[in-house]
Amino acid sequence: MNAIVDLLNTVLWGYVLVWGLLAVGLYLTWQTKFIQFRHFGEFFRVIFQSSATATNGITPLQALTISLASRVGTGNLAGVAVALYLGGPGAIFWMWMVALVGMATAYSESTLAQLYKTRNSEDQYRGGPAYYMWHGMNAKWLGYVFCFFFLCSFGLIFVAVQSNSIADAMNGAMGIPHIATGIVIAILTAVVIFGGIKSIANVADKVVPFMAGLYLLVALVIIVLNITEVPGTLALIVKSAFGLEQAAGGFAGGFMVALLNGVKRGLFSNEAGMGSAPHIAAVAVPEPHHPSSQGLVQGLGVFIDTLLICTATALMILLSGVVDYGPDGVTGMELTQNALEAHIGVTGPYFIAVAILFFAYTSILGNYAYSENVLEFLGLSGKTPLTIFKCMQLAMVVWGAVQPVTRVFNFADASMAVMATINLVALIFLSGTVIRLTKDYFAQRLAGEEPLFRISQHEGLSKGIDQSIWNRDVEAERRA
């Protein structure tokens, strides 16, 4: 089994995804006419104009905060440190590149999730990659394969990774035993997930903006205090990305090492193209009432996650001067804590411990919200299957807190790689639909109208789409 997992990781991460993510992102960027650059302001406008309530789902802002809850976690604090240690400063450049093209990828997958979403028995929206594989590609079997690998990685193993990060940070900063942290996090998780997706949304839209804002504020203060070193640090990142400064600070890697680690950790952090965020994008009631608007919301999530929060972590680490690329050098959460200690003293490790507590905890909640959508597709949305799955997730929270997660992280990487590969194939197959929706959205904007998607005006696009969602009264659909 280990040999199969290692082979999958070698082939998919070493060849398929490194180039596939960039290629698909570039292709979708080109096909959407560089949407993330030409219409950058629209990514913000769809959030600022959204309402505070929704009847059949959650609001666009809540969808953004839940997706950020899943995105912003271990990858932003420990993952950036791992990328720096293994790939050198240049890995950060490739994280940026994955994010920039990933904004178009995230836009595309979430737009499709909105278009092909359905209603469940409680009249709530459900959708995601499995749904657009089913209804858009007529390949329900592929949706089942995607769901299996999704539940293996996001549903269970990544939950253990997040709880492990919290436990390590708490133990390192405050000496709290790992098992105690695991039990407390499991209890706090249970309180929220047993309330369902709307309960998760109510927590995420309060916790995520506050903690992300505080983290960025601390990073900004540190950057301002070291402003004279920032230009040189940014130059180092760019030069190292192409092997021009590969020996800087003792790092002995090169172009491919920086590229591989940057892409791998970048995907783990911002999730663009992975097929995770579309699950919550489909649950949102879009404003304007058009599939593309929720795609824009999730594209913004990639920008916030990587180009803001990951960059903040990378600069704080590089400006601290504590990185040791030798065999005895620390990495992960410990490296991030050491960097903050160098900047702000003994409070640094405590601040990182608190930050990862909130970031990783909300990631656990976000992953459950995604999983509930997947379970619905599999026909496991009844009370008993959901309760069993919730208990499995809580068990993984406790288990992950006390185990060296490296034992299972290879399998998580393999599962993530397979589901991302499947999703990228689906995005290429359905890219024509994305282009059509994008043109329709911005043509209405250009005409000075609020974009509305009317399926009756799109000949040949009605197959697999719930026409009642896009033809009923818009006000009744999106407000209580």
Side-chain angles (χ1 to χ4, degrees), residues 145-311:
V145 176
F146 175 89
C147 289
F148 169 77
F149 287 103
F150 181 91
L151 290 177
C152 287
S153 51
F154 273 82
L156 297 172
I157 298 174
F158 285 172
V159 171
V161 173
Q162 300 293 350
S163 68
N164 183 267
S165 295
I166 299 173
D168 277 351
M170 289 297 173
N171 182 262
M174 307 172 194
I176 299 174
H178 287 73
I179 185 64
T181 299
I183 292 172
V184 170
I185 296 302
I187 292 172
L188 292 174
T189 302
V191 169
V192 179
I193 67 173
F194 276 93
I197 289 179
K198 286 204 171 186
S199 176
I200 294 171
N202 290 332
V203 173
D205 68 5
K206 296 176 179 64
V207 174
V208 173
F210 169 77
M211 199 61 225
L214 181 60
Y215 186 77
L216 289 173
L217 179 62
V218 170
L220 182 61
V221 171
I222 290 173
I223 290 169
V224 170
L225 292 175
N226 296 272
I227 194 65
T228 57
E229 299 176 44
V230 171
T233 302
L234 294 174
L236 175 64
I237 289 173
V238 175
K239 290 179 180 179
S240 299
F242 300 96
L244 302 178
E245 293 282 348
Q246 57 183 308
F251 179 71
F255 167 71
M256 282 305 299
V257 175
L259 176 65
L260 177 61
N261 283 282
V263 172
K264 192 172 182 179
R265 291 306 119 202
L267 175 62
F268 179 71
S269 178
N270 66 50
E271 303 176 13
M274 195 185 298
S276 51
H279 292 101
I280 209 64
V283 178
V285 177
E287 290 190 56
H289 200 70
H290 192 289
S292 288
S293 67
Q294 189 55 36
L296 292 164
V297 169
Q298 295 307 323
L300 178 62
V302 173
F303 175 83
I304 294 171
D305 172 87
T306 303
L307 294 173
L308 293 184
I309 298 177
C310 284
T311 299

Side-chain angles (χ1 to χ4, degrees), residues 342-360:
H343 287 300
I344 60 177
V346 293
T347 58
Y350 291 98
F351 175 74
I352 292 298
V354 173
I356 197 62
L357 168 63
F358 283 102
F359 286 154

